């Protein structure tokens, strides 16, 4: 029986209907998210136009099968968390709310209203238990529900008291004193980093960031095999374990999935670790050197990797799927983040992904199957695992183990993203947080602490732009937030500037109005090649006078009115239909509620007209562009797939708009560079 089934009963929810009732929701938006994607999914892998199409289709097959089965272990364990990470990545790419709901449903099997985690025993000090904290933070950020934050705080408390060896490295578990395993870096460090970013404790942040880097560098110093560039499985700082070399303390073999955990941990931490710190360069170099070693160890025939990856000729050794998936994920993500050059790594990951499909993936009457997964590998314990070659080759090889399926989902999503990342190269998207400047209590902060929210990249709740921001990030763009009035120096560093719903006095006691100096600077910046996106709101929810003083420079006027009222979730009342054009080539059916209309005169022209009302307009001004919309309609509530009926295409429209903004910015940037 699930640990927390009573929670669902008390809240009047039937678990089966919650999960199975969502099956069959069509995914109508992914064609814009991945270039070459056919409109509508085929059931045959070979019919897809690109490898990215295939990867996304494969990810969906395994994810949908997981939703149908919807079985969660009785115990809180890291394996489930790997699947949750894969589901989260797929949700962020596709805006299919079922994947988010799968994670929430799973977590709610374990989490009580006070944040107690069923079957979790903090006194065991298992780093493995921390991995699921990433899903808890995601759920806390998106839903704002306290129990997820409280549960994450329990894991954070464990980390604060985690035993350490003499060098400051976390013990892998209470029962494995003084030992650091490469697995543990994936289990602990990404959660560690995400949690301190939530805490925003300026007095402790530098020390905490240094501690995260220290864990990796200890592993580098004690487990790196200089002959291969790969990493041994574990290090016993006491040198007392039977499996430990008496001189170095390290185990005897290089285990494929162990290095997979390490590669994933590095790339996940590097994604968010502050770039200006010296430790960032050390971690980046560590990842770069490991990536080179991984590619050197790739099997030349299959494109996959072996269980004992440094000994491919060893009798009984075999190609292993979870390690292969982890390496694909880490290398593909490394390319996308700019940590690795496209050559030779893109060739390597594409060959590996094709090899993985051929070697390990098959269809069965029961659903998709991923074979070739080493069920488990560890050191010490009862019965004792000695770390020998014979031991690693003796563990069972199984199918559809969650460690493998989760890694496969992550790898497939990264392969689906790979064609996108050049679109936003060298482009910075700036979001205003000066004219729109609202605050709310910070649930992770000290009493009285506040955090910014409402139409921001950092806001994951319904009111934020985090989901749309992810679409820019997937395309390789940089996101920044402008906290002060724009200056020529600030605007010179950005290519796209977004101003959303400027504050009224009812929203902010001392609003920052768009003044004449700002208007002059913005107008000149657009003329020089900037792209300005203005998003208003309906009457009573937006400061129109100063916004219109800016937009008038481009022939656009926001009318202080309100239409598209949507009573009692009557979403059809907010339906709009877009024309097929360069801004919205694929999305057709949009949802906007409580919006204002626009008036235009040259150089502006209408982009979207509904029943005679202009909803979206554009203007060419000098080298640049201005796009105006009567609503901030791309906020999370109506893009992340959790609320709107699936016949609306707001997420697809967000991808369309991101592509248009980035395309215009690239063309202007290239024109300016060619002239210079």
């Amino acid at each position: 029986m699930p640990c927390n089934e009573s929670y669902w009963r008390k809240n009047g929810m039937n678990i089966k209907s919650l999960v199975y009732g969502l099956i069959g929701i069509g995914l109508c938006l992914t064609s814009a998210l991945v270039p070459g994607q056919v409109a509508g999914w085929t059931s045959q892998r070979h019919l897809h136009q690109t490898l990215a199409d295939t990867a996304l289709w494969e990810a969906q097959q395994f994810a949908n099968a997981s939703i149908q089965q919807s079985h969660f272990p009785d115990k809180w364990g890291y394996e489930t968390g790997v699947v949750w990470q894969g589901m989260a990545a797929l949700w962020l790419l596709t805006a299919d709310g079922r994947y988010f709901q799968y994670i929430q449903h799973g977590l709610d099997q374990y989490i009580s209203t006070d944040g107690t985690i069923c079957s979790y025993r903090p006194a065991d000090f298992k780093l493995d238990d921390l991995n699921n904290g990433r899903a808890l933070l995601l759920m806390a950020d998106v839903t704002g529900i306290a129990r997820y934050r409280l549960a994450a705080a329990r894991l954070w408390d464990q980390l604060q008291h985690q035993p350490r060896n003499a060098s400051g490295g976390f013990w892998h578990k209470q029962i494995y004193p003084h030992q650091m395993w490469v697995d543990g870096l994936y289990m602990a460090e990404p959660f560690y980093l995400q949690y301190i970013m939530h805490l925003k404790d300026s007095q402790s942040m530098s020390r905490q960031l240094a501690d995260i880097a220290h864990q990796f560098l200890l592993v580098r110093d004690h487990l790196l095999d200089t002959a291969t560039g790969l990493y041994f499985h574990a290090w016993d700082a006491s040198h007392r374990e039977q499996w430990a070399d008496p001189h170095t303390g390290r185990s005897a073999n290089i285990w494929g999935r162990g290095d997979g955990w390490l590669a994933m941990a590095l790339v996940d931490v590097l994604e968010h670790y502050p770039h200006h710190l010296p430790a960032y360069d050390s971690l980046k170099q560590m990842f770069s050197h490991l990536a080179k070693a991984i590619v050197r160890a790739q099997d030349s025939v299959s494109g996959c990797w072996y269980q004992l990856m440094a000994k491919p000729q060893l009798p009984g050794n075999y190609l292993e799927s979870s390690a292969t998936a982890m390496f694909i994920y880490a290398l593909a993500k490394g390319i996308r983040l700019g940590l690795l050059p496209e050559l030779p790594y893109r060739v390597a990951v594409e060959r590996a992904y094709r090899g993985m499909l051929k070697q390990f993936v098959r269809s069965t009457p029961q659903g998709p199957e991923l074979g070739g997964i080493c069920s488990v590998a560890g050191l010490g314990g009862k019965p004792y695992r000695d770390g020998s070659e014979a031991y690693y080759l003796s563990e069972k090889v199984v199918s559809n183990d969650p460690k493998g399926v989760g890694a496969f989902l992550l790898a497939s999503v990264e392969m689906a993203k790979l064609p996108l990342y050049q679109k936003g190269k060298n482009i910075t998207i700036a979001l205003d947080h000066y004219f729109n400047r609202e605050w709310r209590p910070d649930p992770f902060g000290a009493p009285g602490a506040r955090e910014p929210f409402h139409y921001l990249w950092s806001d994951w709740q319904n009111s934020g732009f985090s989901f749309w921001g992810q679409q820019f990030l997937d395309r390789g763009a940089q996101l920044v937030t402008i906290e002060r009035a724009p200056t020529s120096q600030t605007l010179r560093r950005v290519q796209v500037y977004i101003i959303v719903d400027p504050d009224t006095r009812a929203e902010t006691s001392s609003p920052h109005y768009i003044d004449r100096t700002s208007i002059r600077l913005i107008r000149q910046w657009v003329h020089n090649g900037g792209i300005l996106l203005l998003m208003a709101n309906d009457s009573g929810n937006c400061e129109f006078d100063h916004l219109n003083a800016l937009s008038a420079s481009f022939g656009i006027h926001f009318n202080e009115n309100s239409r598209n009222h949507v009573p009692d979730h009557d979403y059809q009342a907010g339906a709009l239909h877009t024309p097929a054009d360069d801004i919205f080539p694929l999305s057709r059916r949009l949802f906007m509620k409580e919006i204002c209309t626009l008036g235009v005169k040259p150089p502006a022209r209408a982009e979207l007209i509904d029943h005679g009302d202009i909803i979206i307009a554009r203007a060419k001004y000098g080298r640049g562009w201005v796009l105006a919309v009567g609503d901030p309609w791309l906020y999370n509530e109506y893009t992340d797939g959790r609320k709107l009926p699936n016949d609306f295409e707001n997420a697809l429209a967000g991808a369309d708009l991101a592509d248009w903004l980035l395309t215009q910015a690239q063309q202007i940037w290239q024109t300016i560079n060619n002239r210079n």
Side-chain angles (χ1 to χ4, degrees):
M1 177 177 176
C3 286
N4 207 28
E5 186 169 353
S6 60
Y7 169 81
W8 295 88
R9 302 301 183 205
K10 285 189 291 185
N11 287 274
M13 301 179 188
N14 181 280
I15 295 175
K16 290 185 178 179
S17 66
L18 176 69
V19 178
Y20 298 122
L22 296 167
I23 295 170
I25 296 177
L27 186 61
C28 58
L29 56 89
T30 47
S31 54
L33 304 184
V34 183
Q37 184 69 57
V38 292
W41 292 101
T42 67
S43 60
Q44 297 296 321
R45 181 191 303 160
H46 69 274
L47 294 180
H48 292 134
Q49 296 178 355
T50 70
L51 188 60
D53 298 340
T54 297
L56 191 50
W57 184 84
E58 293 287 356
Q60 286 187 294
Q61 303 314 299
F62 278 89
N64 294 344
S66 295
I67 290 173
Q68 289 177 321
Q69 295 161 7
S70 191
H71 170 73
F72 297 98
D74 291 336
K75 293 184 178 181
W76 180 257
Y78 75 93
E79 300 94 336
T80 308
V82 182
V83 177
W84 288 339
Q85 286 299 112
M87 288 287 197
L90 190 56
W91 168 62
L92 289 172
L93 181 62
T94 64
D96 188 331
R98 294 177 303 156
Y99 304 135
F100 180 90
Q101 289 157 351
Y102 174 88
I103 303 169
Q104 185 171 20
H105 168 58
L107 283 170
D108 286 345
Q109 308 304 297
Y110 304 98
I111 309 303
S112 299
T113 54
D114 65 352
T116 300
I117 304 172
C118 178
S119 78
Y120 165 61
R121 302 190 336 185
D124 290 347
F125 288 110
K126 296 191 295 184
L127 290 184
D128 291 348
D129 286 340
L130 304 181
N131 180 50
N132 297 358
R134 300 166 74 179
L136 287 170
L137 290 176
L138 173 68
M139 206 58 52
D141 289 344
V142 173
T143 68
I145 296 174
R147 67 175 177 273
Y148 304 120
R149 172 177 52 84
L150 296 173
R154 293 175 185 273
L155 300 181
W156 172 246
D157 185 68
Q158 175 195 318
L159 193 60
Q160 300 299 87
H161 297 91
Q162 189 76 14
R164 297 175 183 249
N165 60 35
S167 299
F170 291 130
W171 290 10
H172 193 63
K173 297 180 184 180
Q174 180 72 33
I175 61 172
Y176 298 139
H178 311 289
Q179 299 172 31
M180 295 187 75
W181 298 13
V182 284
D183 329 12
L185 291 172
Y186 181 81
M187 305 304 162
E189 268 49 68
F191 169 71
Y192 190 170
L193 179 59
Q194 288 185 24
Y195 201 89
I196 65 173
M197 293 301 182
H198 281 71
L199 289 179
K200 300 182 283 289
D201 182 353
S202 58
Q203 294 184 341
S204 302
M205 181 75 76
S206 295
R207 174 183 56 80
Q208 293 163 337
L209 288 168
D211 189 32
I212 290 169
H214 183 60
Q215 304 303 313
F216 284 99
L217 299 181
L218 278 176
V219 163
R220 181 199 64 185
D221 294 344
H222 292 279
L223 290 178
L224 175 63
D225 176 30
T226 56
T228 64
L230 300 169
Y231 286 77
F232 292 95
H233 189 173
W235 167 53
D236 173 20
S238 72
H239 298 198
R240 295 172 184 167
E241 276 293 328
Q242 296 176 34
W243 53 258
D245 183 285
H247 302 291
T248 65
R250 70 189 184 192
S251 59
N253 280 289
I254 295 167
W255 173 43
R257 189 161 69 228
D259 278 35
W261 291 123
L262 175 59
M264 293 203 303
L266 278 165
V267 76
D268 285 358
V269 165
L270 283 165
E271 183 177 17
H272 301 291
Y273 201 91
H275 293 196
H276 67 278
L277 296 178
Y280 175 85
D281 293 329
S282 298
L283 295 175
K284 182 178 178 181
Q285 184 182 61
M286 182 178 174
F287 176 65
S288 176
H289 290 172
L290 176 58
K292 291 177 183 177
I294 290 168
V295 172
R296 285 196 299 267
Q298 187 176 22
D299 179 52
S300 60
V301 177
S302 68
C304 302
W305 284 268
Y306 278 86
Q307 165 78 339
L308 292 175
M309 59 187 298
K311 300 176 180 179
Q313 305 303 322
L314 183 69
N317 203 0
Y318 59 91
L319 297 170
E320 204 277 334
S321 61
S322 67
T324 296
M326 290 177 180
F327 292 142
I328 293 169
Y329 167 75
L331 297 177
K333 186 171 181 177
I335 296 168
R336 179 171 63 82
L337 296 179
L339 300 169
L340 300 173
E342 184 157 321
L343 292 176
Y345 293 102
R346 185 160 182 174
V347 173
V349 295
E350 288 180 348
R351 185 158 62 93
Y353 193 80
R354 290 189 179 97
M356 182 168 61
L357 296 182
K358 181 178 180 180
Q359 188 80 22
F360 303 117
V361 178
R362 66 189 186 99
S363 298
T364 75
Q366 292 74 39
E369 180 178 285
L370 178 70
I373 306 170
C374 171
S375 60
V376 67
L379 294 162
K382 296 179 182 180
Y384 196 82
R385 299 168 293 184
D386 62 4
S388 65
E389 295 170 351
Y391 161 69
Y392 284 102
L393 300 182
S394 70
E395 291 287 6
K396 292 181 180 179
V397 179
V398 298
S399 297
N400 284 359
D401 181 278
K403 297 182 289 294
V405 171
F408 180 81
L409 291 174
L410 288 166
S412 297
V413 168
E414 283 300 327
M415 291 304 296
K417 290 180 179 181
L418 205 50
L420 297 173
Y421 82 101
Q422 293 281 8
K423 289 189 173 189
K425 186 177 181 180
N426 300 318
I427 303 301
T428 298
I429 313 292
L431 182 59
D432 164 67
H433 185 229
Y434 181 74
F435 304 119
N436 164 52
R437 195 168 181 82
E438 297 182 62
W439 300 81
R440 67 186 174 200
D442 183 353
F444 284 89
R450 298 190 305 160
E451 64 176 1
F453 83 110
H454 218 190
Y455 312 131
L456 295 179
W457 305 133
S458 59
D459 184 359
W460 282 85
Q461 293 189 30
N462 284 344
S463 54
F465 272 163
S466 62
F467 208 90
W468 191 35
Q470 189 64 47
Q471 293 180 323
F472 286 110
L473 292 174
D474 289 344
R475 286 155 173 76
Q478 298 293 316
L479 301 181
V480 298
T481 303
I482 297 181
E483 301 284 351
R484 298 181 181 275
T487 65
S488 57
Q489 185 178 13
T490 301
L491 293 177
R492 198 178 307 128
R493 291 195 286 262
V494 306
Q495 288 70 49
V496 179
Y497 183 28
I498 305 172
I499 298 176
V500 186
D501 187 20
D503 290 335
T504 66
R505 287 196 181 276
E507 297 168 306
T508 305
S509 58
S510 300
H512 298 139
Y513 294 132
I514 304 174
D515 59 14
R516 291 181 180 179
T517 300
S518 297
I519 291 172
R520 177 178 54 81
L521 290 171
I522 294 170
R523 186 171 60 226
Q524 185 61 50
W525 171 77
V526 174
H527 191 273
N528 292 341
I531 301 172
L532 177 65
L533 173 58
L534 300 174
M535 292 178 159
N537 211 321
D538 67 336
S539 59
N541 289 307
C542 180
E543 198 285 311
F544 283 89
D545 291 344
H546 296 83
L547 178 62
N548 276 324
L550 170 62
S551 63
S553 303
F554 315 110
I556 298 169
H557 181 83
F558 293 95
N559 299 317
E560 196 167 349
N561 58 14
S562 183
R563 56 158 285 178
N564 279 34
H565 295 272
V566 180
D568 299 325
H569 305 294
D570 179 17
Y571 295 111
Q572 304 310 314
L576 295 169
H577 299 272
T578 60
D581 62 6
D582 58 327
I583 298 180
F584 300 109
L586 292 166
S587 52
R588 291 293 166 271
R589 186 171 171 81
L590 314 184
F591 176 82
M592 295 188 194
K593 60 174 289 190
E594 297 172 359
I595 64 179
C596 74
T597 62
L598 281 63
V600 299
K601 64 181 181 180
R605 62 184 175 89
E607 170 67 23
L608 173 60
I609 300 175
D610 183 73
H611 293 91
D613 291 334
I614 300 173
I615 310 300
I616 302 177
R618 72 165 101 182
K620 182 68 175 171
Y621 187 79
R623 292 177 177 171
W625 284 98
V626 177
L627 190 69
V629 188
D631 192 68
W633 57 293
L634 291 175
Y635 49 97
N636 297 335
E637 184 175 9
Y638 300 119
T639 56
D640 70 9
R642 297 187 302 124
K643 184 170 184 177
L644 276 183
N646 67 306
D647 59 332
F648 287 100
E649 298 177 313
N650 281 26
L652 178 56
D656 277 349
L657 181 54
D659 285 338
W660 184 82
L661 292 169
L662 295 173
T663 298
Q664 303 312 310
Q666 292 284 15
Q667 291 175 353
I668 294 168
W669 184 78
Q670 291 170 8
T671 299
I672 293 173
N673 280 352
N674 290 339
R675 290 180 179 177
N676 293 337

Short mmCIF file of all heavy atoms in Angstrom, two decimals, residues 18-48:
data_model
loop_
_atom_site.label_atom_id
_atom_site.label_comp_id
_atom_site.label_asym_id
_atom_site.label_seq_id
_atom_site.Cartn_x
_atom_site.Cartn_y
_atom_site.Cartn_z
N LEU A 18 -7.06 9.79 -11.05
CA LEU A 18 -6.15 10.92 -11.21
C LEU A 18 -5.09 10.60 -12.23
O LEU A 18 -4.74 11.41 -13.08
CB LEU A 18 -5.50 11.25 -9.87
CG LEU A 18 -4.45 12.36 -9.92
CD1 LEU A 18 -5.12 13.69 -10.19
CD2 LEU A 18 -3.65 12.42 -8.64
N VAL A 19 -4.55 9.38 -12.17
CA VAL A 19 -3.46 9.00 -13.08
C VAL A 19 -4.01 8.57 -14.43
O VAL A 19 -3.67 9.12 -15.47
CB VAL A 19 -2.63 7.87 -12.45
CG1 VAL A 19 -1.54 7.45 -13.42
CG2 VAL A 19 -2.01 8.34 -11.14
N TYR A 20 -4.90 7.60 -14.44
CA TYR A 20 -5.33 7.02 -15.71
C TYR A 20 -6.31 7.90 -16.46
O TYR A 20 -6.41 7.83 -17.67
CB TYR A 20 -5.96 5.64 -15.46
CG TYR A 20 -5.00 4.68 -14.86
CD1 TYR A 20 -5.26 4.07 -13.64
CD2 TYR A 20 -3.80 4.38 -15.50
CE1 TYR A 20 -4.36 3.18 -13.07
CE2 TYR A 20 -2.90 3.48 -14.93
CZ TYR A 20 -3.18 2.89 -13.73
OH TYR A 20 -2.30 2.02 -13.16
N GLY A 21 -7.01 8.75 -15.73
CA GLY A 21 -7.95 9.62 -16.40
C GLY A 21 -7.30 10.63 -17.32
O GLY A 21 -7.95 11.23 -18.16
N LEU A 22 -5.97 10.80 -17.16
CA LEU A 22 -5.27 11.77 -18.00
C LEU A 22 -4.69 11.14 -19.25
O LEU A 22 -4.21 11.83 -20.14
CB LEU A 22 -4.13 12.40 -17.19
CG LEU A 22 -4.62 13.22 -15.99
CD1 LEU A 22 -3.45 13.54 -15.08
CD2 LEU A 22 -5.27 14.49 -16.47
N ILE A 23 -4.70 9.82 -19.33
CA ILE A 23 -4.11 9.15 -20.48
C ILE A 23 -4.90 9.47 -21.74
O ILE A 23 -6.12 9.50 -21.74
CB ILE A 23 -4.07 7.63 -20.25
CG1 ILE A 23 -3.12 7.33 -19.08
CG2 ILE A 23 -3.62 6.88 -21.50
CD1 ILE A 23 -3.17 5.91 -18.62
N GLY A 24 -4.18 9.71 -22.82
CA GLY A 24 -4.84 9.99 -24.09
C GLY A 24 -4.89 11.45 -24.44
O GLY A 24 -5.35 11.82 -25.51
N ILE A 25 -4.40 12.33 -23.51
CA ILE A 25 -4.33 13.73 -23.88
C ILE A 25 -3.32 13.88 -25.00
O ILE A 25 -2.17 13.50 -24.86
CB ILE A 25 -3.91 14.58 -22.66
CG1 ILE A 25 -4.98 14.49 -21.57
CG2 ILE A 25 -3.68 16.02 -23.06
CD1 ILE A 25 -4.63 15.22 -20.32
N GLY A 26 -3.71 14.43 -26.12
CA GLY A 26 -2.81 14.54 -27.26
C GLY A 26 -1.76 15.60 -27.05
O GLY A 26 -2.01 16.61 -26.42
N LEU A 27 -0.58 15.37 -27.58
CA LEU A 27 0.49 16.35 -27.51
C LEU A 27 0.54 17.07 -28.83
O LEU A 27 1.08 16.59 -29.81
CB LEU A 27 1.82 15.65 -27.23
CG LEU A 27 3.00 16.58 -26.99
CD1 LEU A 27 2.74 17.45 -25.77
CD2 LEU A 27 4.27 15.79 -26.79
N CYS A 28 -0.04 18.25 -28.87
CA CYS A 28 -0.20 18.94 -30.15
C CYS A 28 0.82 20.04 -30.35
O CYS A 28 0.76 20.75 -31.34
CB CYS A 28 -1.60 19.53 -30.23
SG CYS A 28 -1.98 20.67 -28.87
N LEU A 29 1.77 20.21 -29.41
CA LEU A 29 2.62 21.37 -29.54
C LEU A 29 4.07 21.03 -29.83
O LEU A 29 4.85 21.91 -30.15
CB LEU A 29 2.57 22.21 -28.27
CG LEU A 29 2.94 21.53 -26.96
CD1 LEU A 29 4.43 21.64 -26.69
CD2 LEU A 29 2.16 22.16 -25.82
N THR A 30 4.46 19.78 -29.76
CA THR A 30 5.88 19.50 -29.83
C THR A 30 6.47 19.73 -31.21
O THR A 30 7.66 19.80 -31.35
CB THR A 30 6.14 18.04 -29.42
OG1 THR A 30 5.22 17.21 -30.11
CG2 THR A 30 6.00 17.87 -27.95
N SER A 31 5.65 19.86 -32.23
CA SER A 31 6.22 20.09 -33.55
C SER A 31 7.01 21.38 -33.62
O SER A 31 7.94 21.50 -34.41
CB SER A 31 5.11 20.11 -34.60
OG SER A 31 4.11 21.03 -34.25
N ALA A 32 6.67 22.35 -32.80
CA ALA A 32 7.42 23.61 -32.82
C ALA A 32 8.63 23.55 -31.91
O ALA A 32 9.55 24.31 -32.06
CB ALA A 32 6.54 24.77 -32.39
N LEU A 33 8.61 22.64 -30.95
CA LEU A 33 9.69 22.61 -29.99
C LEU A 33 10.92 21.94 -30.55
O LEU A 33 12.02 22.18 -30.11
CB LEU A 33 9.23 21.88 -28.72
CG LEU A 33 7.97 22.47 -28.06
CD1 LEU A 33 7.67 21.73 -26.78
CD2 LEU A 33 8.14 23.95 -27.78
N VAL A 34 10.76 21.05 -31.50
CA VAL A 34 11.88 20.34 -32.08
C VAL A 34 11.83 20.48 -33.60
O VAL A 34 10.86 20.09 -34.23
CB VAL A 34 11.84 18.83 -31.71
CG1 VAL A 34 13.05 18.13 -32.27
CG2 VAL A 34 11.80 18.68 -30.20
N PRO A 35 12.86 21.04 -34.22
CA PRO A 35 12.83 21.20 -35.67
C PRO A 35 12.65 19.87 -36.38
O PRO A 35 13.22 18.85 -36.00
CB PRO A 35 14.21 21.81 -35.97
CG PRO A 35 14.63 22.43 -34.69
CD PRO A 35 14.05 21.59 -33.61
N GLY A 36 11.85 19.87 -37.42
CA GLY A 36 11.64 18.66 -38.20
C GLY A 36 10.57 17.76 -37.66
O GLY A 36 10.25 16.74 -38.25
N GLN A 37 10.02 18.11 -36.50
CA GLN A 37 9.00 17.25 -35.90
C GLN A 37 7.77 17.17 -36.78
O GLN A 37 7.24 18.18 -37.22
CB GLN A 37 8.61 17.83 -34.54
CG GLN A 37 7.64 16.98 -33.77
CD GLN A 37 8.31 15.72 -33.33
OE1 GLN A 37 9.31 15.76 -32.65
NE2 GLN A 37 7.78 14.60 -33.72
N VAL A 38 7.33 15.96 -37.06
CA VAL A 38 6.11 15.82 -37.85
C VAL A 38 4.92 16.26 -37.02
O VAL A 38 4.90 16.13 -35.80
CB VAL A 38 5.92 14.37 -38.31
CG1 VAL A 38 6.98 13.99 -39.31
CG2 VAL A 38 5.92 13.40 -37.16
N ALA A 39 3.92 16.80 -37.66
CA ALA A 39 2.70 17.20 -36.96
C ALA A 39 1.86 15.97 -36.70
O ALA A 39 1.30 15.37 -37.61
CB ALA A 39 1.92 18.21 -37.80
N GLY A 40 1.77 15.58 -35.45
CA GLY A 40 1.07 14.35 -35.10
C GLY A 40 2.08 13.22 -35.03
O GLY A 40 3.01 13.13 -35.82
N TRP A 41 1.90 12.36 -34.04
CA TRP A 41 2.91 11.33 -33.79
C TRP A 41 2.60 10.05 -34.55
O TRP A 41 1.50 9.57 -34.57
CB TRP A 41 2.97 11.04 -32.29
CG TRP A 41 3.51 12.21 -31.55
CD1 TRP A 41 2.79 13.14 -30.85
CD2 TRP A 41 4.85 12.62 -31.49
NE1 TRP A 41 3.62 14.09 -30.35
CE2 TRP A 41 4.89 13.81 -30.71
CE3 TRP A 41 6.04 12.12 -32.00
CZ2 TRP A 41 6.06 14.47 -30.44
CZ3 TRP A 41 7.20 12.79 -31.72
CH2 TRP A 41 7.21 13.95 -30.96
N THR A 42 3.64 9.50 -35.17
CA THR A 42 3.51 8.19 -35.79
C THR A 42 3.87 7.13 -34.75
O THR A 42 4.47 7.44 -33.73
CB THR A 42 4.46 8.05 -36.99
OG1 THR A 42 5.81 8.05 -36.50
CG2 THR A 42 4.26 9.18 -37.97
N SER A 43 3.53 5.91 -35.03
CA SER A 43 3.84 4.84 -34.09
C SER A 43 5.09 4.07 -34.49
O SER A 43 5.44 3.09 -33.85
CB SER A 43 2.65 3.87 -34.01
OG SER A 43 2.40 3.31 -35.29
N GLN A 44 5.75 4.51 -35.55
CA GLN A 44 6.94 3.81 -36.02
C GLN A 44 8.14 4.73 -35.93
O GLN A 44 8.16 5.83 -36.49
CB GLN A 44 6.75 3.34 -37.47
CG GLN A 44 5.63 2.35 -37.66
CD GLN A 44 5.87 1.06 -36.92
OE1 GLN A 44 7.01 0.57 -36.87
NE2 GLN A 44 4.84 0.50 -36.32
N ARG A 45 9.17 4.27 -35.23
CA ARG A 45 10.36 5.08 -35.02
C ARG A 45 10.98 5.50 -36.34
O ARG A 45 11.43 6.64 -36.49
CB ARG A 45 11.35 4.28 -34.18
CG ARG A 45 12.64 5.01 -33.87
CD ARG A 45 13.66 4.05 -33.28
NE ARG A 45 13.15 3.40 -32.09
CZ ARG A 45 13.66 2.27 -31.61
NH1 ARG A 45 14.64 1.66 -32.23
NH2 ARG A 45 13.16 1.74 -30.52
N HIS A 46 11.03 4.61 -37.32
CA HIS A 46 11.76 4.90 -38.55
C HIS A 46 11.08 5.94 -39.43
O HIS A 46 11.67 6.44 -40.37
CB HIS A 46 11.97 3.61 -39.35
CG HIS A 46 10.71 3.04 -39.94
ND1 HIS A 46 9.89 2.19 -39.23
CD2 HIS A 46 10.13 3.21 -41.15
CE1 HIS A 46 8.86 1.84 -39.99
NE2 HIS A 46 8.97 2.45 -41.15
N LEU A 47 9.84 6.30 -39.11
CA LEU A 47 9.14 7.30 -39.91
C LEU A 47 9.47 8.73 -39.49
O LEU A 47 9.10 9.67 -40.18
CB LEU A 47 7.62 7.08 -39.82
CG LEU A 47 7.10 5.78 -40.43
CD1 LEU A 47 5.59 5.70 -40.27
CD2 LEU A 47 7.48 5.67 -41.90
N HIS A 48 10.16 8.90 -38.37
CA HIS A 48 10.46 10.24 -37.91
C HIS A 48 11.53 10.87 -38.80
O HIS A 48 12.42 10.21 -39.30
CB HIS A 48 10.92 10.21 -36.46
CG HIS A 48 9.81 9.84 -35.53
ND1 HIS A 48 9.97 8.91 -34.52
CD2 HIS A 48 8.52 10.23 -35.46
CE1 HIS A 48 8.83 8.77 -33.86
NE2 HIS A 48 7.94 9.56 -34.42
#
